[in-house]
Amino acid sequence: MKINIKRDTVVEYEVQMQNRTLLEVLNEIKTKIDPTLAYNSGCRSSVCGSCAVRVNGKEVLACAYHVQEGDLIEPLKNSEVVRDLVVNMDKAYSFNTKAKAWQSTCTENVSLSYEEQKLNELQSNCILCGLCYSACPVYAVNSEFLGPFTLTRVWRYVSDKRETKVEEKIDSIQTNGVWDCTLCNECTLVCPQGISSKADIEKLRAKSAMLGYMDPNFGNFGGGFGFDGSPSF
């Protein structure tokens, strides 16, 4: 089997393996063919997210994807390439800080019902693999976009009734945040945990509207009348 790996140039490797995960193939290449190949790996169980790469233009976890003849393996997009398939995710993770994507304060003596616990259970499963960050097309025009996994984490906390700083969190995602998303759903399609950041962003928009915020682009269309601001009949 032959596969191609994007390094400084695209390098073709041939391995005598069938029906194996990409991570197994990468390990084979590094130990037996080319020890200079660089990539990340960790749990080998789709939990840590460290082996995230792109295969034929789609974001995957190397430990879960089964290699096919002629596959093209590339590093994630929208992040600085350190070497080969290794990228620097520091900027992506920094958006969690900008958006205050954590439990700020917790109301004392508040218990959650079973339904309330289930409300944001899926969002809590995010492994920060960065697949959604790489797949998001918004970064082509706005490198400061907070991004799918950060906004999903914000929803996870503002939907928790124990959180007392909901308005502060919602305020932090108005710029380069919920209104910049195109709702293309590319993030959902690549998430290994089945999380829909698109749906979470839509809920954050609704929450924003309830708190008096609105899409800043709305005014660019003449206040909802004619494009010049005058009523059209």
Side-chain angles (χ1 to χ4, degrees):
M1 177 186 296
K2 295 179 180 180
I3 67 168
N4 303 287
I5 300 178
K6 175 69 183 306
R7 305 184 72 179
D8 292 331
T9 60
V10 175
V11 180
E12 183 181 81
Y13 293 96
E14 184 170 1
V15 294
Q16 303 304 314
M17 304 175 75
Q18 298 291 330
N19 194 31
R20 300 294 184 89
T21 67
L22 174 56
L23 183 56
E24 289 177 302
V25 172
L26 292 176
N27 288 337
E28 177 79 1
I29 293 172
K30 188 171 182 67
T31 57
K32 297 184 179 180
I33 301 174
D34 186 352
T36 68
L37 179 64
Y39 56 94
N40 283 327
S41 66
C43 68
R44 297 177 296 174
S45 303
S46 302
V47 174
C48 73
S50 62
C51 63
V53 293
R54 299 171 68 233
V55 178
N56 303 327
K58 181 179 179 181
E59 286 72 15
V60 301
L61 294 181
C63 65
Y65 176 79
H66 282 72
V67 176
Q68 303 294 318
E69 177 74 35
D71 279 345
L72 172 62
I73 320 302
E74 300 174 278
L76 296 181
K77 294 192 301 180
N78 302 321
S79 295
E80 172 195 7
V81 176
V82 177
R83 180 178 164 190
D84 300 340
L85 302 178
V86 179
V87 298
N88 184 346
M89 292 290 292
D90 286 352
K91 182 172 183 178
Y93 296 148
S94 74
F95 292 134
N96 285 338
T97 302
K98 290 184 178 181
K100 306 181 189 303
W102 58 76
Q103 189 91 52
S104 298
T105 57
C106 190
T107 303
E108 296 182 2
N109 302 319
V110 174
S111 59
L112 300 180
S113 67
Y114 176 79
E115 291 74 19
E116 289 167 336
Q117 292 177 40
K118 288 293 184 181
L119 184 64
N120 48 44
E121 181 181 56
L122 182 59
Q123 289 81 358
S124 299
N125 292 334
C126 174
I127 59 176
L128 296 175
C129 60
L131 296 188
C132 61
Y133 181 84
S134 174
C136 180
V138 176
Y139 292 104
V141 294
N142 182 5
S143 63
E144 295 304 312
F145 177 49
L146 294 176
F149 70 71
T150 289
L151 293 171
T152 275
R153 289 173 74 83
V154 172
W155 173 251
R156 182 257 176 270
Y157 293 112
V158 302
S159 62
D160 190 327
K161 73 175 185 179
R162 297 169 297 180
E163 174 61 55
T164 62
K165 293 188 176 182
V166 171
E167 292 188 22
E168 180 180 297
K169 294 187 185 302
I170 292 297
D171 182 69
S172 72
I173 60 173
Q174 298 307 303
T175 301
N176 297 319
V178 288
W179 309 110
D180 291 73
C181 175
T182 63
L183 302 179
C184 67
N185 207 40
E186 291 296 325
C187 52
T188 304
L189 296 177
V190 300
C191 179
Q193 300 294 80
I195 299 169
S196 175
S197 288
K198 171 183 176 288
D200 295 337
I201 291 169
E202 289 176 319
K203 288 180 283 192
L204 285 170
R205 287 183 175 185
K207 191 75 170 180
S208 296
M210 291 172 61
L211 293 174
Y213 296 97
M214 65 177 291
D215 185 347
N217 297 312
F218 183 75
N220 295 336
F221 296 97
F225 296 98
F227 287 100
D228 61 353
S230 59
S232 56
F233 300 99

